[in-house]
Amino acid sequence: MIEVHGDIVREQWTGKYDRHCWENDEFQSGAWCSLEAGQQALYLPAYFRTEIKTVFVGEHTSYTHAWTWSTLESTSRGTTQLLLDMGLVDEAKDITKEWMARWMKM
């Protein structure tokens, strides 16, 4: 944790955490989202709204499904969405600038 996030971890890490092993979950199966015709147009707008203080992220919430990039894109979008909901506009701009491939030079 310290290697990734720096020394701030020493003061903020509580040691409390929870995890879920999807492999052992009897209600989980599959690897990626495969929508039926019309479902993307039906469901995708809901992913861009905060629902009862919940922001949905994951490759299934992206226009392109089943790609690693889709997960990164949706996570950046969800983080930005959460920060904007909290009124943290500058922080949301920083996430967008850093993670939405604007650093790439073509």
Side-chain angles (χ1 to χ4, degrees):
M1 292 283 287
I2 294 168
E3 184 179 328
V4 173
H5 300 287
D7 287 329
I8 192 74
V9 171
R10 291 183 204 278
E11 87 180 47
Q12 293 186 354
W13 173 246
T14 65
K16 296 179 184 179
Y17 65 94
D18 192 14
R19 64 178 153 212
H20 185 91
C21 181
W22 291 104
E23 186 174 323
N24 297 330
D25 188 325
E26 65 181 305
F27 302 108
Q28 184 276 341
S29 66
W32 64 84
C33 180
S34 181
L35 298 176
E36 299 292 326
Q39 285 184 322
Q40 182 162 321
L42 180 63
Y43 296 121
L44 205 58
Y47 297 142
F48 293 86
R49 291 190 306 268
T50 303
E51 301 282 342
I52 313 171
K53 298 184 180 180
T54 303
V55 176
F56 292 96
V57 297
E59 57 85 20
H60 67 288
T61 68
S62 179
Y63 285 101
T64 57
H65 306 289
W67 294 96
T68 302
W69 169 253
S70 304
T71 303
L72 178 59
E73 182 275 327
S74 72
T75 305
S76 299
R77 186 238 346 124
T79 303
T80 301
Q81 185 177 332
L82 176 64
L83 291 169
L84 290 173
D85 287 347
M86 295 170 64
L88 302 171
V89 177
D90 291 335
E91 290 82 350
K93 287 179 182 179
D94 289 343
I95 293 294
T96 302
K97 182 179 178 185
E98 178 72 22
W99 291 103
M100 294 308 288
R102 287 172 171 70
W103 44 265
M104 293 175 66
K105 303 289 185 232
M106 302 298 239

